[in-house]
Amino acid sequence: MIRIAVANQKGGVGKTTTAINLATALAATGWRTLIIDLDPQGNASTGLGIKQSQRECSSYELLRGDAGVAECAIPTAVPRLDIVSATVDLSGAEIELIEYQDRLHRLQKALSGAEAGQWDICLIDCPPSLGMLTLNALIAAESLIVPLQCEFFALEGLSQLLTTVERVRERFNQKLSILGVALTMFDRRNRLTDQVSDDVREVLGPVVFDTVIPRNVRLSEAPSHGLPALIYDHRCAGSAAYIALAREMIDRLPEIRKAA
C-alpha cells in the first residue's frame, strides 16, 4: 500500500480539500483508497459525509493501539474509498502518546498491521501543525504532498516544513520524499498570486505540480453537503483542476514504487 501524507503546518491552505478530492479521483480510477483523518477537527471526515455517530472507532483508537486499521476504516459514499475518521479525542493524543516509547511510530506500526492488498493507496490528512501527529504521518508515509496557498506568508511556512521533512528523513524515514507541492487558492486577478507561484517554481522546480487549484466557490460549498467537490459539482473549475492534479500525481507514483 502506497502511503502519502498531505501536510502543511499552516491552516487554511486547502489541505483537507486536496486530500479528499485526490482520494475521490483515485477511487474513481479504480484505486482502492484509504484516507486517515489525523486532524482533531475531523474536517476530512465531515467533508466525506461521516456523521459523529459513525465515528465509534477513529484514528485516536488506531494510534493508541486499541483497534486495527480494518476495524477503524468505514466506507464512504464514494465507491472504493474508505476512511479512518477523527474525533476531538485526537486532540489529547499528543499528550497521551508521550507515555509510549514508540510514540512517533504508532501510525507506522498500525499501517504495517493492515491486511495486504486491502487498499492500494493511503492518504493521511495531517493537522495544521508540526506536532506529534504530523510526525507520525511523515514517519509512516513514503512521500508527501504539500498544498501551498498562493500568498506571501505561505512561503515562510514552507521552508519550516521542508526543514522538518529533511530531519525526519535523516533520523526516522530515509524513504520519505516530496511527491509534489500543489499550489492552491490561485487567483489570476491577483498579481501577488503569480509572484508567489513564480517564486515557488524557481526554488523547487519540477517538485511543484503543473496543475494549480483555483479559488472556487463550489470547492468551499461541497464540504457542507458532506461530499467531495468532484461529486458535488464535477464540472466546476475546482473539480477539473483536482482531476488534472490526480493525473499528475498518478504519473509520479511509479517512481515511489521503484524506490520502495
Side-chain angles (χ1 to χ4, degrees), residues 63-255:
L63 289 175
R64 281 177 51 90
D66 296 336
V69 180
E71 297 172 79
C72 294
I74 54 178
T76 69
V78 181
R80 293 181 296 275
L81 176 58
D82 298 332
I83 185 171
V84 175
S85 60
T87 63
V88 292
D89 292 336
L90 195 59
S91 59
E94 298 217 14
I95 298 176
E96 293 184 37
L97 289 177
I98 293 176
E99 301 177 1
Y100 296 86
Q101 289 186 342
D102 60 346
R103 53 187 172 273
L104 296 179
H105 299 266
R106 301 297 295 179
L107 183 59
Q108 180 186 49
K109 181 179 179 181
L111 290 177
S112 297
E115 182 180 344
Q118 189 165 5
W119 296 284
D120 300 313
I121 190 166
C122 172
L123 298 183
I124 308 168
D125 185 33
C126 301
S129 70
L130 291 178
M132 199 173 297
L133 294 176
T134 299
L135 287 175
N136 260 272
L138 294 180
I139 291 171
E142 297 169 337
S143 63
L144 170 69
I145 289 178
V146 184
L148 183 69
Q149 184 180 0
C150 292
E151 64 169 31
F152 174 74
F153 291 115
L155 294 175
E156 294 184 343
L158 177 62
S159 62
Q160 184 181 357
L161 177 62
L162 294 179
T163 299
T164 300
V165 169
E166 187 58 37
R167 289 176 178 171
V168 169
R169 184 185 294 124
E170 291 175 356
R171 297 186 59 185
F172 303 109
N173 184 3
Q174 295 180 355
K175 293 183 178 180
L176 181 64
S177 63
I178 298 178
L179 183 62
V181 173
L183 299 176
T184 63
M185 303 181 184
F186 193 89
D187 187 350
R188 295 191 181 279
R189 298 171 298 178
N190 188 336
R191 183 174 296 179
L192 177 61
T193 296
D194 285 318
Q195 183 179 339
V196 171
S197 174
D198 292 342
D199 289 346
V200 173
R201 292 185 188 280
E202 182 178 350
V203 173
L204 298 178
V207 172
V208 184
F209 288 111
D210 291 333
T211 304
V212 295
I213 308 301
R215 284 191 177 276
N216 184 254
V217 174
R218 305 299 269 178
L219 287 179
S220 302
E221 291 176 348
S224 65
H225 295 269
L227 293 170
L230 268 65
I231 292 179
Y232 178 65
D233 184 355
H234 70 277
R235 296 180 180 178
C236 72
S239 293
Y242 273 117
I243 291 171
L245 182 62
R247 290 196 190 102
E248 273 197 81
M249 186 185 81
I250 291 171
D251 286 342
R252 299 187 184 191
L253 289 179
E255 298 177 10

